[in-house]
Amino acid sequence: MNELKAQLDWQQDSQGRLELRVAGHWTLNTRKPELHSVFDSLRLPDKELPVRVTVAAWDSSLLALLRRLQRLAGERALELRWLELPDGVERLLQLGSAHPIQPGASSAPGGPLTRLGLLAIGLFASLVKAATFLGETCLALLNLARGKARMRAGDFWLALQQCGPGALPIVALIASLVGLILAFVGAAQLEAFGAQLYIANMVAIGMTREMGALMTAVIMAGRTGAAYAAELGSMQANEEIDALKTFGFPPLEFLVLPRLLALLVAMPLLCAFADALGILGGFVIGAGLFDISATQYLNQSLELLNLTDFLLGIFKSLVFAVLIGLIGCHYGLASGRNAQAVGQATTRAVVSIIVALVVSDALITLICTQLGI
């Protein structure tokens, strides 16, 4: 049986000019000649090096040879001219010759004014995308109200189970600890005036108007908002959303509406649950450190607390639910198509949600204060 060989030698063309010939089988399991010894065996009379590639079989070994030949010709200031390259080899050589991005190299050209302009353009593009997403979501909600939205009830119940009962343990833990902290910090100040009984008032008002809704929203931002961004970002990377569009399923109605509606249902219930456990946590401090009975604590809580305070917290939870759902889904749908982009989208979603929660809470509180609510 003849042994397969790889050939690399000099030959003359029909006009008597020297050219380097690559022939035979250039595969991993064949013996190959040494490039430097063949290359240095002759000296070319001009600065052009014709290379004729007529191989019977090839794999990455041929590409490695041609890339080494390119580097060697560059060192000798020779211009390569390829002859009879196999199909696909020229394209692979172009990809291999592409200059990689140097670590630490800046991709932003120009000075500070140019970078400021690019930043403004990027910010404007982000605002356009966000406004488009918000408008399309409003249209999807309108279709839902008219009974024409393509949303599956099963998706809604699954999303509700994940962001509702699934979040109860962590919400219960955080709300109880927040109530304990509020009571303990307030008791340290009220004790100086002998007014420890007013711990109940402070905890009740603080939990129902502010901390119950805000802490629940922060928990849901890290738990549910991040999950929405990661789920939709993974679907974007796997081209599942493109497949939905191809089959005529609107992604906003099919993917966003169930998640948004589930949050709108779950957040007020979780907020009321957090309010109750926060007040219970304050009672633990009041009863354990200051001997306040359950009857005294309950009566004192209800004396100052009214329905307006409770409904204000519920209203905030609804606003927070909309922010969590919209921002999480927006960053998920706007994600790139690789694993790194999905991680970046999830991180941006959580950061943006928390900033939006704090800003919206401050605005609502300011408006309510000005209106005397």
Side-chain angles (χ1 to χ4, degrees):
M1 182 176 180
N2 295 330
E3 182 181 1
L4 299 178
K5 293 183 180 179
Q7 301 175 10
L8 180 65
D9 53 23
W10 296 97
Q11 67 176 7
Q12 290 184 343
D13 60 8
S14 59
Q15 299 178 357
R17 292 176 299 185
L18 283 175
E19 63 182 21
L20 187 63
R21 184 175 66 97
V22 183
H25 292 73
W26 282 86
T27 56
L28 293 174
N29 56 352
T30 57
R31 298 182 58 184
K32 304 171 186 63
E34 175 61 34
L35 173 62
H36 284 276
S37 60
V38 175
F39 196 86
D40 295 335
S41 61
L42 287 177
R43 181 177 296 275
L44 289 174
D46 52 19
K47 292 297 183 180
E48 185 182 62
L49 172 58
V51 181
R52 186 175 300 276
V53 184
T54 56
V55 294
W58 63 276
D59 57 14
S60 58
S61 301
L62 177 63
L63 296 174
L65 169 75
L66 299 182
R67 286 290 291 128
R68 291 198 303 269
L69 187 59
Q70 285 180 328
R71 289 193 293 268
L72 191 58
E75 295 173 358
R76 310 287 176 88
L78 294 175
E79 180 182 355
L80 289 177
R81 181 162 59 90
W82 304 112
L83 304 174
E84 301 183 21
L85 277 179
D87 294 339
V89 173
E90 184 175 3
R91 176 59 178 161
L92 291 173
L93 284 176
Q94 291 175 355
L95 292 175
S97 302
H99 296 288
I101 299 176
Q102 297 297 327
S106 175
S107 59
L113 186 60
T114 303
R115 290 195 294 270
L116 180 61
L118 293 175
L119 179 62
I121 293 173
L123 180 60
F124 179 75
S126 299
L127 292 176
V128 170
K129 290 180 181 179
T132 303
F133 175 78
L134 182 60
E136 291 176 349
T137 304
C138 292
L139 292 177
L141 288 171
L142 181 60
N143 289 335
L144 179 65
R146 296 165 56 191
K148 296 183 178 180
R150 306 186 68 175
M151 185 190 79
R152 297 187 302 182
D155 293 338
F156 166 75
W157 291 111
L158 178 61
L160 181 60
Q161 190 276 331
Q162 292 174 346
C163 68
L168 284 177
I170 185 63
V171 171
L173 175 63
I174 298 301
S176 301
L177 292 178
V178 169
L180 286 169
I181 293 170
L182 282 177
F184 192 80
V185 171
Q189 305 301 321
L190 294 173
E191 188 178 11
F193 304 97
Q196 297 91 331
L197 184 60
Y198 291 99
I199 294 174
N201 303 71
M202 184 188 65
V203 173
I205 294 297
M207 289 301 300
T208 54
R209 290 181 67 97
E210 292 290 340
M211 300 306 296
L214 184 60
M215 294 309 300
T216 302
V218 170
I219 295 169
M220 298 302 287
R223 185 183 183 277
T224 304
Y228 287 176
E231 289 172 4
L232 298 183
S234 298
M235 294 180 69
Q236 186 74 269
N238 295 332
E239 300 182 354
E240 297 176 40
I241 294 178
D242 294 336
L244 288 175
K245 294 178 181 178
T246 302
F247 284 106
F249 293 100
L252 287 174
E253 297 180 5
F254 202 73
L255 299 174
V256 176
L257 283 188
R259 291 169 168 82
L260 180 60
L261 293 178
L263 273 174
L264 284 172
V265 173
M267 278 293 291
L269 300 177
L270 290 174
C271 178
F273 181 67
D275 292 343
L277 286 180
I279 293 173
L280 179 61
F283 169 70
V284 171
I285 294 296
L289 297 181
F290 304 104
D291 296 327
I292 302 175
S293 67
T295 303
Q296 287 178 309
Y297 190 89
L298 181 61
N299 291 335
Q300 194 66 28
S301 299
L302 296 177
E303 180 180 345
L304 188 62
L305 189 65
N306 54 46
L307 184 61
T308 302
D309 300 320
F310 176 75
L311 293 179
L312 178 60
I314 297 299
F315 172 74
K316 287 184 177 181
S317 69
L318 290 173
V319 175
F320 297 159
V322 172
L323 292 174
I324 294 170
L326 290 180
I327 295 176
C329 292
H330 168 66
Y331 277 100
L333 292 175
S335 171
R337 299 181 182 271
N338 54 63
Q340 182 180 7
V342 175
Q344 292 174 349
T346 305
T347 302
R348 291 171 183 168
V350 174
V351 173
S352 300
I353 289 172
I354 292 177
V355 172
L357 292 178
V358 175
V359 172
S360 61
D361 182 61
L363 290 177
I364 295 173
T365 302
L366 179 62
I367 293 172
C368 292
T369 302
Q370 294 297 321
L371 297 177
I373 300 177

